[in-house]
Structure formats: structure tokens, C-alpha cells
Amino acid sequence: MGGEIMRISYRHIKRYKEIAQVMVKYGFSFIIERINKEGSGSKIDVSSSEPKDDIKNMTSGQRLRLALQELGPTYIKMGQILSTRRDLLDQDMIDELVKLRDDVETFDTDVAMAIIEEETGRNIEEIFSEFDKEPIAAASIGQVYNAVLKDGEKVVIKVQRPDIEETIKSDLEILKRVSGSIQDIIKDYNIDMKEMLEELSSQLLRELDYNFEAVNAVKMKRIFQNSDEVYIPEIHMEYTTKRVLIMERIEGIKLSDIDLIREKGWDTKKIAHIGVKAFLRQVFDFGFFHADQHPGNIFVLSESQIAYIDFGMIGMVDNRTLNFLNKFALAASEKNVDKIVRVLTEIDAIGEETDIEGFKGEMLYMIHYYYDIPLERISIGTVLNEIFRFFRKYKITMPPQLITLAKTIITLEGTARTLDPEFSAREISRAFIKNYYKSKINPKNIVMETRGNIEDILLDLKNLPKQIKNVLRIVEKNNVKISVEEVKMTRIEDCIKELTTQMTMALVLASIIVGSSLIIASPNIERNMGIKYMAIAGFFISFIIGLILVIEIVKVKIKKR
């Protein structure tokens, strides 16, 4: 560790000293002392440094927010990421970190124009008929301008700050070098510094390349291409590069301006319903959703249409995650905490340090508390925050997919309530259940899931001989002797035969069902009645095989008794 700290001191000494001074200023000198103690090379003297009285009177969350704000883009983004991790931090800390904003000083417009020309390989006059030199927003990563293309289309331009990539990469390297010391300091929290830094690095490096945001926007536009309720702005890919993004300008009312929306006489309840429906469609139909749905990123074009902007933060969920949510919800509705623990075990959320009995007790209490409360009075955000508090306390680790989804649902509920104070969890819950079971009974999804299960079984069977060979090699290598004198070999042979027969029948049954389903699902089936009857016969045969299989299993169980 010492050698790593020394390299930081010499390669990034100026930036490292800036970071240390800010940390000391806001009362986090113990972190620098710990790094000084474990490392060699340049030391930062913190012995005579003392925070001012007004800083001393602040909460830890306030001091951390101000420190991150002063340290710049890398640390602001780290704070923003942490503000979504309700599974890691207490609510009072979250409340402070969500106040972190990218509001920073603007950089010179001439520099921005030079970057545009360098990136696109064209002069400003070749691309735009008008270019407003006064930026409309300045964020930590880039700056935003209004302009008009040569064909008359109004656009907004994102231009990346000069040298921002070098600054961020330097900060990330420093953070990685000192992560061991920080991990020791925060050992009482359920925070894996290495994992968090990997997430931070991935997100920041994506944000440093506007091509990622452009692709996200194009995919989102494809999702809503036939929708009259959701509009996605056009991305001008011919001008978009790593450091420049040109997008159609949305002229509407920001969702955050509720008073103006109401002055228009628009139905805010209808707008809230459109937003919730659009989110659920993204999640259930595509597994790809806008993950930053705060009011500033949603425009209202009319009472029957909204538009999204800023596609830098996108969430993705797969069928496994949705299946987990369904199992968890069903277990909670049954008040079955043992089943909840089994479901969490399936996704490797429960670690060795988890006090399972304590977790069961608190989870059961929470279920009983919320069970009889009408859905109209329940806040999804409150419930999710309570669950995250339990998970934090008992060191239960949730998949990043679920954390992003939960954070987005909390933000969405808050946004919906600003439009409709009577908005309740019932709407999201009913829509969730409806969409989920609609997906589950979809023949195409059933066929795909069955095919996936068969492929898994076949893969396991294919790998079984290799796994047995590996076990035998380990046994031979370690000279392990297995005594089988008292084992009834005949009974073992019978069990293997029964198992092989049942497995073979199950595979044949699954194959016939999948084959028949694919035939039935074919759009050309009505053209050939012979094939149709063949598919029906396949279902009949599979029924007979299934019946035989059940009888065989029952006979085996009777024998065992």
C-alpha cells in the first residue's frame, strides 16, 4: 500500500494536495491521516488544520456534500451515484447528496466553438445558421448551447469541457490508489470501495463519450416510435462525436414547472398516468428504461404527450430480475419470510455476515405493519427505503439492476405525486402485476423460456462427464479413499435407471412441447392444415408422456414408503 501512495504523490502531487486540503477543510482530516500513516512519499500536514466553527456545526452529510461539490466533477458524480444507493447509506445522508448539482462556472464559448469545429471537421457557419453564444446550462462534464441548423431545425448542443477527461482519469487513479485506506475507515458500512469505484469509473467514462448517450436516445426513440403519448428528440448522428452531441430542441414546459402546466389548464393526473405507463412499458416490454426521471428531464408538450431528454443514465433489467421481483412480492404477500430468504439466496444477496434470524424477525414485522394498510395510503418510496434499511443493517447485497430500478421507481413516484397529490401505489402495483402476467402468458415468451430451460439442462448434461472426471482426478490426486462396503450397489443401479428414464422422458416431453408451440406460433400455419394437425398431435403425445411420467414418479414414491 505504501508504494502505491508514494506513486500518487509524485504523479499527481498537485491534485492530491488539493483533494487533501478540501477534505481537511470540511473535517475529514482523519482520512488523510490514515493515508499518511499507511503510505510513504509526500505527506499532507493536517496537525494544525481545524475546520471553521460554521463547518463544525454542520451534519456529516452536509460536510460531505460541500466537500464533493468543491472537489469537482469526479466527486460530484460519485456523490450523485451514492445518492441512488439507498442500500448503502442512511436517509439523512441521501437527502444531502441528492442536492449535489452540476452547476459550475461556464467556460469560454470560443473554446466550445473550437471543440465543435475540431470534432466535426466543419466550420460553425457550415453547420448552423444561428448559434447562441450564451450557454443555457453549464454542467461538470459539458456545456449546453442553443442553435439552428442550416435546414432551420432548432437544436441543442452539448460540448464537453476542455481537459475534463484528463482531470477525471487522474481523480479516478488517485481514488483507486487510496481505496484500501478508505475501505478500512468505512468498514462498518456495507460499502465495497472497489465495486463502487468500478461503477463510478464505468459511468464517468461513458459520460465522457457522448456517443453512448446518443445510442441510448436512438434506442429510446425506437421504443416509442409509434407512440402518441411519448416523444423522443432526434439525435443528429452525423454531427455527434465523443465530445459533441447535437439533439433536436424540445419546446415544451418542464415537468418541474407545475404552476405553468396548471395555468395551461392541462390535466396533471393524466400526465402522471402517461409517465407511469411509459416507464412500465420500458421495463416490461424492453428491459431498457430512462433511469433519471426527475422533473427536470421530462417536458410536457400537451396534456396527452410528454418528452424525455438527457439519456446519459439508462437502466436495464432482464427476465431473471423481474422473476426475482415477482417471487419476492408473492412471498411477502404470503407473509413467508423463509421464502423471502430463499429467494434472496438464489441471487446470492445473502452473505456470511448476515444475521438471518434477526433479518427474518424484522422483515416479518414490516410485512405485518404494511399488510393491512390500504394501498392508497402507502408510499412505494417509503416501503423501498425501509427495505433498503433492513438490507443495509443485515449486509444483504442487491444486484445493481435492482438498485437502479428501485431508485427510478422512487423518483417516478415523487414526480407523479407532484402532478397528482392523490397518486397512490395502487396504480404502479396494478400495472406491475398486469404487465408481468401479460408477459408471462405470452406464447412467444413461454416458448423462449422453455427453450432456454432445455438448453440449460442439455448444457448441464453435456458438462456432467467432465465434472465427474474432475472430481475423480481430485480424489486420485489427494489419495482419498472411499469405502463402499456397506452400500447396496443394486439399489444404486435402480436409482440411476429410474433417474435416467425420468430425465429422458422429461427431455422428450419438453422437446415435443417446444416443437409443437413453435409450429402453432408460426404465422403460416393456416396455409398447411397437415402441419397444424401434426402440432395438435404433438400436444396430445406430450400429454400422454407427461401422464406416464407422473405415474412413474408416483410409483417410485409409493415404493419408497
Side-chain angles (χ1 to χ4, degrees):
M1 185 69 190
E4 291 176 339
I5 295 296
M6 182 174 64
R7 284 200 295 275
I8 291 173
S9 300
Y10 289 123
R11 288 186 61 191
H12 307 289
I13 184 168
K14 183 180 177 183
R15 180 59 176 159
Y16 179 53
K17 284 185 175 180
E18 288 174 0
I19 294 168
Q21 286 164 1
V22 171
M23 297 301 286
V24 171
K25 174 183 174 181
Y26 289 99
F28 298 107
S29 57
F30 62 92
I31 296 176
I32 307 303
E33 288 174 350
R34 181 63 176 264
I35 294 171
N36 281 343
K37 182 180 177 182
E38 294 189 1
S40 57
S42 296
K43 311 284 188 190
I44 306 297
D45 184 13
V46 297
S47 57
S48 59
S49 303
E50 192 72 23
K52 294 180 180 179
D53 290 339
D54 58 337
I55 293 176
K56 284 183 181 179
N57 295 329
M58 294 178 182
T59 64
S60 297
Q62 289 172 325
R63 290 187 289 114
L64 179 60
R65 172 174 61 83
L66 291 172
L68 295 176
Q69 188 81 49
E70 193 168 324
L71 285 171
T74 310
Y75 296 88
I76 290 172
K77 289 297 178 186
M78 182 170 67
Q80 289 172 342
I81 291 171
L82 281 173
S83 72
T84 68
R85 298 300 300 268
R86 296 168 190 269
D87 58 321
L88 301 180
L89 300 176
D90 295 327
Q91 190 59 42
D92 57 346
M93 190 73 77
I94 296 287
D95 291 340
E96 284 298 324
L97 292 179
V98 294
K99 297 175 185 177
L100 279 169
R101 292 291 178 262
D102 284 338
D103 297 328
V104 293
E105 292 183 4
T106 60
F107 63 92
D108 192 274
T109 296
D110 289 336
V111 175
M113 294 172 72
I115 291 173
I116 294 171
E117 291 181 340
E118 180 186 346
E119 289 290 307
T120 61
R122 303 185 190 185
N123 294 328
I124 293 291
E125 294 77 14
E126 292 180 51
I127 306 174
F128 309 106
S129 60
E130 296 178 29
F131 187 95
D132 189 349
K133 293 189 176 183
E134 187 67 30
I136 59 173
S140 55
I141 300 291
Q143 203 153 276
V144 185
Y145 294 88
N146 278 333
V148 179
L149 293 175
K150 283 290 189 179
D151 62 3
E153 182 182 347
K154 295 178 180 179
V155 294
V156 292
I157 311 158
K158 275 188 178 182
V159 186
Q160 196 174 108
R161 286 181 173 274
D163 303 322
I164 190 64
E165 184 172 357
E166 182 182 341
T167 301
I168 286 177
K169 287 183 176 179
S170 175
D171 283 346
L172 288 173
E173 184 171 340
I174 291 172
L175 281 170
K176 288 175 182 177
R177 297 295 188 188
V178 302
S179 61
S181 298
I182 298 174
Q183 184 70 63
D184 289 339
I185 294 168
I186 60 172
K187 61 185 177 184
D188 293 334
Y189 292 88
N190 189 28
I191 298 176
D192 186 328
M193 272 300 296
K194 184 179 179 182
E195 179 187 324
M196 192 189 75
L197 284 174
E198 285 176 357
E199 181 183 350
L200 175 67
S201 298
S202 297
Q203 185 162 327
L204 279 173
L205 293 175
R206 281 196 298 269
E207 290 196 34
L208 285 170
D209 187 347
Y210 286 148
N211 286 308
F212 282 103
E213 183 175 347
V215 170
N216 290 338
V218 169
K219 185 167 184 177
M220 195 66 70
K221 190 167 184 67
R222 196 177 300 128
I223 289 173
F224 291 106
Q225 62 185 347
N226 298 318
S227 172
D228 295 325
E229 295 182 327
V230 179
Y231 185 79
I232 306 298
E234 188 79 34
I235 300 294
H236 290 273
M237 295 298 290
E238 69 273 25
Y239 301 127
T240 295
T241 68
K242 182 177 180 180
R243 301 171 66 199
V244 174
L245 173 67
I246 299 181
M247 179 175 66
E248 175 188 357
R249 192 191 311 173
I250 296 296
E251 294 185 327
I253 303 172
K254 277 193 176 183
L255 200 59
S256 53
D257 198 346
I258 300 296
D259 292 337
L260 185 55
I261 293 172
R262 287 183 176 138
E263 281 178 19
K264 290 274 190 181
W266 292 343
D267 187 346
T268 53
K269 289 186 178 182
K270 183 178 179 180
I271 295 168
H273 177 74
I274 289 171
V276 171
K277 190 167 68 171
F279 170 73
L280 291 168
R281 183 182 179 194
Q282 294 168 56
V283 172
F284 289 101
D285 292 350
F286 300 93
F288 181 89
F289 60 93
H290 193 300
D292 196 13
Q293 300 202 18
H294 66 75
N297 282 340
I298 302 174
F299 278 77
V300 181
L301 306 183
S302 71
E303 70 174 4
S304 58
Q305 189 178 45
I306 63 172
Y308 291 116
I309 62 167
D310 196 345
F311 303 92
M313 192 178 293
I314 290 294
M316 288 180 278
V317 288
D318 53 21
N319 288 331
R320 182 172 178 264
T321 302
L322 293 176
N323 285 333
F324 161 77
L325 285 174
N326 185 55
K327 289 178 184 178
F328 189 93
L330 288 175
S333 67
E334 296 167 2
K335 302 180 185 177
N336 190 337
V337 291
D338 289 318
K339 191 173 181 180
I340 288 175
V341 170
R342 287 199 299 273
V343 171
L344 290 170
T345 303
E346 283 180 20
I347 60 168
D348 298 323
I350 294 180
E352 296 179 0
E353 299 178 6
T354 302
D355 175 6
I356 294 178
E357 293 306 315
F359 172 75
K360 284 182 181 178
E362 287 208 47
M363 182 58 73
L364 186 61
Y365 174 83
M366 191 189 80
I367 291 171
H368 278 280
Y369 176 79
Y370 284 108
Y371 194 79
D372 295 320
I373 299 177
L375 275 173
E376 289 79 5
R377 295 178 55 193
I378 292 178
S379 163
I380 292 178
T382 301
V383 175
L384 287 174
N385 283 330
E386 191 74 2
I387 291 173
F388 282 140
R389 185 181 69 80
F390 286 155
F391 287 177
R392 224 169 29 244
K393 180 177 179 180
Y394 292 101
K395 301 187 185 304
I396 292 175
T397 306
M398 297 302 293
Q401 283 186 11
L402 273 180
I403 295 165
T404 303
L405 179 61
K407 184 271 289 188
T408 309
I409 290 173
I410 292 171
T411 304
L412 179 68
E413 184 190 34
T415 302
R417 285 185 188 275
T418 61
L419 292 166
D420 177 13
E422 297 178 359
F423 181 84
S424 75
R426 183 180 297 276
E427 183 170 352
I428 291 181
S429 302
R430 283 179 174 174
F432 187 99
I433 293 168
K434 179 182 175 182
N435 277 273
Y436 181 80
Y437 283 105
K438 181 181 175 182
S439 174
K440 290 295 285 184
I441 64 173
N442 186 323
K444 183 179 178 181
N445 291 347
I446 293 172
V447 170
M448 293 298 292
E449 187 175 347
T450 306
R451 187 172 73 179
N453 291 335
I454 291 173
E455 287 174 354
D456 288 342
I457 292 170
L458 292 173
L459 185 62
D460 288 340
L461 288 173
K462 183 179 178 181
N463 290 332
L464 188 60
K466 187 186 293 183
Q467 291 170 349
I468 293 173
K469 188 176 180 180
N470 289 337
V471 170
L472 292 174
R473 188 183 293 116
I474 293 169
V475 170
E476 183 181 2
K477 185 177 180 181
N478 291 279
N479 197 26
V480 177
K481 295 182 179 179
I482 301 176
S483 176
V484 293
E485 291 176 4
E486 297 181 4
V487 177
K488 296 181 179 179
M489 296 304 296
T490 304
R491 180 61 189 146
I492 291 176
E493 289 177 5
D494 291 341
C495 287
I496 292 173
K497 286 178 182 177
E498 290 169 2
L499 180 63
T500 304
T501 302
Q502 291 173 11
M503 188 176 292
T504 303
M505 290 179 70
L507 285 170
V508 172
L509 173 62
S511 301
I512 294 174
I513 291 173
V514 171
S516 301
S517 300
L518 288 170
I519 294 172
I520 290 290
S522 173
N524 300 317
I525 189 169
E526 296 298 333
R527 299 177 186 175
N528 193 323
M529 296 304 294
I531 295 177
K532 184 176 181 180
Y533 291 135
M534 187 184 299
I536 295 171
F539 281 121
F540 179 74
I541 293 169
S542 64
F543 171 77
I544 299 298
I545 293 174
L547 189 63
I548 294 171
L549 184 59
V550 170
I551 293 170
E552 287 295 322
I553 292 171
V554 171
K555 282 169 63 179
V556 169
K557 288 190 174 182
I558 293 173
K559 282 181 183 179
K560 288 181 179 178
R561 291 178 184 175

